[in-house]
Amino acid sequence: MIRKKLLTLTISAVLLAACSDSSTPKDSPKPQQKASEQASKIELVAEAKERLDIYFPVALTADLTAYSDNQKQMLSLLIDASKIMDDLFWMQAFGQPKQAFLDSLDDPKVRKFADINYGPWDRLNGDKPFLTQTDEKPLGAQFYPEDMSKEEYLSSNIEQKDNLYSMVSRDTNGQLIDIPYSEYFADELEAAAELLRKAADLADNEAFANYLKMRAEAMLTDNYQASDFAWMQMKDNPIELVIGPIETYEDQLFGYRAAFEAYVLLKDLSWSERLAKYAAYLPELQKGLPVADKYKAEMPGSNADLNAYDVIYYAGHSNAGSKTIAINLPNDEEVQLKNGTRRLQLKNAMQAKFEHILMPISEQLIVPEQRQHITFTAFFANTMFHEVAHGLGIKNTLDGKGTVRGALKEHASALEEGKADILGLYMVEQLLNKGAITEGQLEDYYVTFMAGIFRSVRFGASSAHGKANMIRFNFFQEKGAFSRDENGLYSVNMEKMSEAISALSERILTLQGDGDYQGVAELVADKGLIKSTLAEDLQKLTDANIPVDITFEQGKDVLKL
């Protein structure tokens, strides 16, 4: 089978994975050499040394004394299944199994940095190689043959070109073919499915047990929609699992293929109770969006829920580079329109980023008189409403030809993240005016958001979130939403910030509804970049040794399972 041929190839030899079809020119420089042949040659790129300490270590601990023996056994099984997702993402992102690559690196700090980045490319520095003997990261990661052009793919005989759940390869004649994940990764997915079934047998929450069984079946069939609907029915389970091929950010060539990832979570009941009321406002907020009526005709489900969790394990895409602090799923547009989405706020990870990154950033870049407005309550709310705002706007283009995601291709993720950020602020302002939000004042949310832009911009141009923040920063600057003094300190102009939020909301929603690929490409090219003044200000953060993000010490040993 093709699958076995490809996996044997990668497992046996690759240090930097590449397509191995016979049509590749023999003189083409490819990184596909045995680790043993390259190990002595590989060194850290000189300028990468200063980046080895950009991640602050955080232990993902939890008090499990209130959980039953069955629940603890279930958590152990869920972590084991998540580890398989981690291995599969290594194959999708890099092409080589994790351990073989890491074992080829002698320096423990370099090895740790490679572990965080899932390969030899610095994810928070535009995917630049940090090791010698390393080619640029393929835009399509390992989802497609590296020698494949966009034009070849679009003109190929592959029927469902935007298939979320298939790897693209070549047959023996060199023609492009797609291989379902369930076939390409059959052994690994069968093992993960069995772990989920065993966990389901231990679950005392019927809805959660049903979801685990259905998710296991989805891994073997590539049909995830039924399990997404089942996931939407879970309301009172104390343990949560997000697992499977989910986000498409790793596919920067087209934005089609979903990457494997997992989160194991514990529900925070008290915080979740505080959040429950906000989902009911979605239909009303949709109607009030600052855009023409035709761009807000789709009505989001109002039965979506908001909950807070402590995360105890990250795996795969969610653990690569910058760490996710909130989740809005499922991504399936049909499920969203029928049932809305679930929003999961990862409170312990959020708190770590606020304390170790956001507050130190504010001391370097925000004027002293506005620093009092930077609060964890505002940071939590801005992050939460970002996720809620994914449910607003439009999912299908107005021309009726398909989804916004399909029309905007590789730019879809960056624009969607930009939409969620800007509409999240719109929601905060509206809910404060309605009295639904009773904590803090609007200035808290705006100033905290401004500091958050500096935090996220540091994720770099290769990140959808980073691009979204750059676009917004440059747009806000043009609109006078903030000013910068002679000392390089920023202050928010409240009135102009509100006007800029409305203007950018309208522009993004219009681009999405029109499916305007060219318009989005021009927006990204014009504003999705870090200009010299901002680059100098961000250097202050580096000079002050402020971490760019966090990394986790996690697993059964940390949890004492």
Side-chain angles (χ1 to χ4, degrees):
M1 290 175 63
I2 293 174
R3 172 191 171 267
K4 293 300 183 185
K5 176 182 177 182
L6 291 177
L7 286 187
T8 300
L9 176 68
T10 53
I11 290 171
S12 66
V14 286
L15 181 59
L16 299 175
C19 171
S20 63
D21 68 280
S22 59
S23 63
T24 303
K26 292 183 179 180
D27 59 350
S28 176
K30 304 302 288 183
Q32 194 171 332
Q33 298 179 25
K34 289 186 178 180
S36 59
E37 296 172 354
Q38 287 219 50
S40 61
K41 306 175 187 176
I42 296 174
E43 298 175 350
L44 184 70
V45 174
E47 56 268 28
K49 185 175 182 180
E50 65 178 18
R51 295 188 55 80
L52 296 180
D53 296 315
I54 65 172
Y55 293 90
F56 185 86
V58 174
L60 290 182
T61 59
D63 182 0
L64 300 179
T65 55
Y67 291 83
S68 68
D69 289 341
N70 272 6
Q71 286 175 320
K72 291 176 183 177
Q73 291 179 47
M74 182 171 64
L75 287 173
S76 182
L77 291 168
L78 298 183
I79 289 173
D80 287 342
S82 298
K83 289 178 179 178
I84 294 176
M85 300 301 105
D86 201 69
D87 292 338
L88 294 182
F89 180 68
W90 270 90
M91 300 300 292
Q92 291 179 317
F94 179 35
Q96 182 187 357
K98 174 181 179 178
Q99 207 55 51
F101 169 62
L102 296 181
D103 286 347
S104 70
L105 305 175
D106 295 329
D107 188 323
K109 291 185 72 172
V110 175
R111 191 182 310 122
K112 178 63 177 176
F113 197 67
D115 190 9
I116 293 169
N117 283 281
Y118 286 67
W121 300 284
D122 188 342
R123 289 175 175 269
L124 303 192
N125 191 26
D127 279 331
K128 290 182 181 179
F130 60 85
L131 295 176
T132 59
Q133 308 299 318
T134 304
D135 290 342
E136 290 185 5
K137 184 179 180 182
L139 289 176
Q142 298 300 309
F143 296 112
Y144 311 90
E146 289 185 32
D147 66 342
M148 183 199 80
S149 68
K150 277 190 170 185
E151 293 73 22
E152 181 187 9
Y153 184 69
L154 293 174
S155 63
S156 72
N157 293 325
I158 293 176
E159 291 186 13
Q160 189 182 350
K161 292 185 172 61
D162 60 351
N163 189 345
L164 290 167
Y165 311 122
S166 69
M167 300 288 283
V168 178
S169 186
R170 296 187 185 276
D171 63 17
T172 54
N173 296 318
Q175 298 300 305
L176 293 176
I177 56 172
D178 62 333
I179 309 169
Y181 286 173
S182 58
E183 178 182 340
Y184 194 94
F185 299 116
D187 295 341
E188 297 84 354
L189 290 174
E190 286 167 3
E194 178 60 21
L195 288 167
L196 295 188
R197 287 190 289 265
K198 288 181 179 178
D201 291 339
L202 295 168
D204 54 12
N205 183 284
E206 185 176 346
F208 188 48
N210 180 56
Y211 163 69
L212 292 176
K213 293 174 184 176
M214 295 186 73
R215 204 63 173 177
E217 179 65 19
M219 289 181 176
L220 305 181
T221 62
D222 301 301
N223 181 6
Y224 285 87
Q225 189 179 78
S227 62
D228 283 344
F229 276 115
W231 190 70
M232 288 300 299
Q233 305 307 312
M234 297 191 305
K235 302 294 182 182
D236 56 359
N237 46 303
I239 293 172
E240 181 68 82
L241 176 71
V242 175
I243 192 167
I246 299 172
E247 301 291 0
T248 60
Y249 304 133
E250 191 71 11
D251 177 4
Q252 296 185 51
L253 189 64
F254 287 107
Y256 291 158
R257 264 65 192 176
F260 286 98
E261 61 185 309
Y263 306 80
V264 182
L265 307 150
L266 306 176
K267 193 170 186 177
D268 187 317
L269 297 176
S270 61
W271 272 76
S272 295
E273 187 176 347
R274 294 167 56 184
L275 309 181
K277 61 183 179 181
Y278 294 120
Y281 287 93
L282 278 177
E284 181 181 352
L285 292 167
Q286 174 82 350
K287 293 176 183 177
L289 289 174
V291 69
D293 288 345
K294 62 182 179 180
Y295 295 100
K296 52 187 178 182
E298 295 178 353
M299 195 52 59
S302 60
N303 62 339
D305 64 337
L306 299 169
N307 288 287
Y309 296 83
D310 283 333
V311 59
I312 60 171
Y313 201 81
Y314 283 73
H317 179 266
S318 66
N319 195 43
S322 61
K323 305 301 185 290
T324 301
I325 53 178
I327 305 167
N328 176 61
L329 291 172
N331 287 328
D332 188 305
E333 292 85 358
E334 185 176 346
V335 178
Q336 288 185 10
L337 290 174
K338 289 183 178 180
N339 284 44
T341 59
R342 292 180 61 202
R343 286 89 176 187
L344 292 70
Q345 313 304 304
L346 312 186
K347 186 168 63 68
N348 58 339
M350 208 179 295
Q351 185 77 49
K353 292 200 183 194
F354 180 79
E355 292 177 1
H356 300 295
I357 301 173
L358 193 70
M359 288 301 294
I361 284 175
S362 70
E363 294 169 3
Q364 294 289 326
L365 295 180
I366 302 297
V367 294
E369 56 268 27
Q370 288 194 343
R371 290 174 193 165
Q372 62 181 315
H373 294 294
I374 298 176
T375 68
F376 180 69
T377 295
F379 181 57
F380 185 95
N382 286 343
T383 305
M384 173 179 68
F385 286 116
H386 166 103
E387 300 304 332
V388 175
H390 279 299
L392 297 178
I394 192 164
K395 305 298 179 187
N396 300 290
T397 57
L398 294 179
D399 61 11
K401 293 184 177 179
T403 65
V404 170
R405 180 170 54 185
L408 299 185
K409 300 181 175 67
E410 75 273 18
H411 297 307
S413 293
L415 197 68
E416 176 62 21
E417 293 305 326
K419 181 205 81 172
D421 272 332
I422 206 70
L423 292 189
L425 279 182
Y426 154 80
M427 292 183 69
V428 166
E429 183 173 4
Q430 296 300 309
L431 292 172
L432 277 168
N433 291 338
K434 295 175 186 298
I437 295 178
T438 58
E439 296 179 283
Q441 53 187 298
L442 187 58
E443 197 164 3
D444 296 345
Y445 298 89
Y446 280 2
V447 178
T448 301
F449 186 85
M450 187 71 209
I453 291 179
F454 296 120
R455 181 185 71 85
S456 296
V457 161
R458 298 174 82 199
F459 293 164
S462 67
S463 158
H465 296 79
K467 288 178 183 176
N469 276 277
M470 292 176 210
I471 290 169
R472 186 168 48 261
F473 179 90
N474 290 320
F475 189 93
F476 282 179
Q477 187 173 45
E478 288 182 5
K479 298 295 184 181
F482 61 82
S483 59
R484 179 182 182 274
D485 67 19
E486 65 277 6
N487 297 315
L489 299 176
Y490 291 77
S491 61
V492 172
N493 181 309
M494 295 295 290
E495 181 179 349
K496 291 184 177 180
M497 174 69 86
S498 183
E499 294 171 357
I501 289 169
S502 294
L504 186 54
S505 296
E506 180 180 24
R507 185 165 182 185
I508 288 176
L509 291 169
T510 302
L511 287 168
Q512 288 187 319
D514 291 344
D516 187 354
Y517 176 86
Q518 186 59 37
V520 179
E522 291 172 0
L523 179 66
V524 172
D526 179 40
K527 292 188 170 61
L529 46 86
I530 298 177
K531 297 180 181 178
S532 58
T533 300
L534 177 57
E536 292 171 6
D537 292 335
L538 294 178
Q539 185 60 42
K540 294 179 187 177
L541 307 181
T542 300
D543 295 342
N545 295 318
I546 297 174
V548 177
D549 208 67
I550 55 178
T551 186
F552 298 122
E553 299 166 355
Q554 60 176 2
K556 296 183 192 179
D557 291 342
V558 175
L559 293 166
K560 296 181 172 58
L561 281 174

